[in-house]
Amino acid sequence: QTVVTQEPSFSVSPGGTVTLTCGLSSGSVSTSYYPTWYQQTPGQAPRTLIYTTNTRSSGVPDRFSGSILGNKAALTITGAQADDEADYYCVLFLGSGISWVFGGGTKLTVL
Amino acid sequence: QVQLQESGPGLVKPSQTLSLTCTVSGGSIRSGSYYWSWIRQPAGKGLEWIGHIYTSGSTNYNPSLKSRVTISVDTSKNQFSLKLSSVTAADTAVYYCAREILAWGQGTLVTVSS
């Protein structure tokens, strides 16, 4: 069974830059997996940040960017702010059978 | 801008069938080539894709839930629905509906308990 991997937690200083990654337990992530990224704060529904690797959703600040780095999808936050503290999830399309599989999420702390 | 709203019972007994409806506003469920998804999240845990349905009616389900899941669409009501049979406490979660996996509803908590 293919697992989508994310760092369990990450910390960044205010104003700093952080890159979160989304990988596969077996194989490399490419644009063909349509990586999508979400931000979720407590009690709220996930907010779509990035889809199809690097397209920002409407209203998402350009300090959020998506890419492929090596064999993983990546979400980079440039100039981190206090309200970026949240859980971040990625999801990958693994084919017509399995379809979408979410990563376990990364808890980002800004301090 | 499309909006989605989940509705249905907040409490379901073990072994019964969970039934939820997602009402779409701000656009016709028939327009465009979208698929309509259900996703869930147990308290304190991560997200799990349940399945989706295309406007044509074709479906894809999470293999781990496939034997218990049915997703259907009612274009006349601009709604799509989720049925999950033989529920247990492990099915207790916030259930979200979404257009594709991009525009999400606010979610509804379903608790499985006697």
Side-chain angles (χ1 to χ4, degrees):
Chain A
Q1 180 181 355
T2 302
V3 175
V4 176
T5 62
Q6 293 185 250
E7 300 86 358
S9 63
F10 230 116
S11 181
V12 63
S13 299
T17 296
V18 62
T19 296
L20 312 181
T21 67
C22 178
L24 287 169
S25 57
S26 175
S28 299
V29 177
S30 68
T31 57
S32 301
Y33 290 88
Y34 304 100
T36 301
W37 291 91
Y38 307 91
Q39 177 192 64
Q40 187 180 35
T41 52
Q44 300 298 311
R47 170 197 182 196
T48 303
L49 296 175
I50 302 286
Y51 60 97
T52 56
T53 305
N54 56 14
T55 303
R56 267 187 298 276
S57 284
S58 175
V60 174
D62 60 6
R63 55 198 184 79
F64 291 90
S65 62
S67 64
I68 299 291
L69 285 181
N71 62 350
K72 296 182 179 182
L75 172 71
T76 300
I77 307 172
T78 304
Q81 300 179 0
D83 59 4
D84 294 335
E85 188 162 293
D87 293 325
Y88 290 84
Y89 292 93
C90 70
V91 68
L92 301 176
F93 181 73
L94 298 190
S96 59
I98 302 173
S99 290
W100 298 97
V101 179
F102 285 90
T106 297
K107 184 175 185 63
L108 180 68
T109 301
V110 180
L111 52 72
Chain B
Q1 186 173 353
V2 69
Q3 293 185 317
L4 301 96
Q5 179 66 59
E6 306 87 351
S7 60
L11 181 64
V12 181
K13 288 182 167 48
S15 80
Q16 293 190 343
T17 296
L18 177 161
S19 296
L20 295 175
T21 297
C22 182
T23 300
V24 179
S25 58
S28 171
I29 203 168
R30 281 176 287 195
S31 65
S33 299
Y34 297 112
Y35 56 90
W36 304 88
S37 305
W38 287 97
I39 298 138
R40 70 181 183 179
Q41 184 174 36
K45 296 188 178 181
L47 299 162
E48 180 180 33
W49 175 77
I50 299 171
H52 60 228
I53 186 167
Y54 291 86
T55 309
S56 64
S58 65
T59 54
N60 284 95
Y61 299 133
N62 187 322
S64 69
L65 298 169
K66 188 173 184 176
S67 63
R68 300 194 290 131
V69 173
T70 303
I71 297 175
S72 59
V73 64
D74 187 338
T75 55
S76 67
K77 295 183 179 179
N78 228 34
Q79 295 175 336
F80 62 107
S81 299
L82 168 71
K83 291 188 186 300
L84 181 65
S85 64
S86 304
V87 297
T88 70
D91 295 309
T92 294
V94 175
Y95 285 76
Y96 297 98
C97 62
R99 188 180 74 177
E100 313 240 301
I101 52 162
L102 301 181
W104 294 49
Q106 284 303 300
T108 187
L109 174 63
V110 178
T111 301
V112 178
S113 175
S114 54

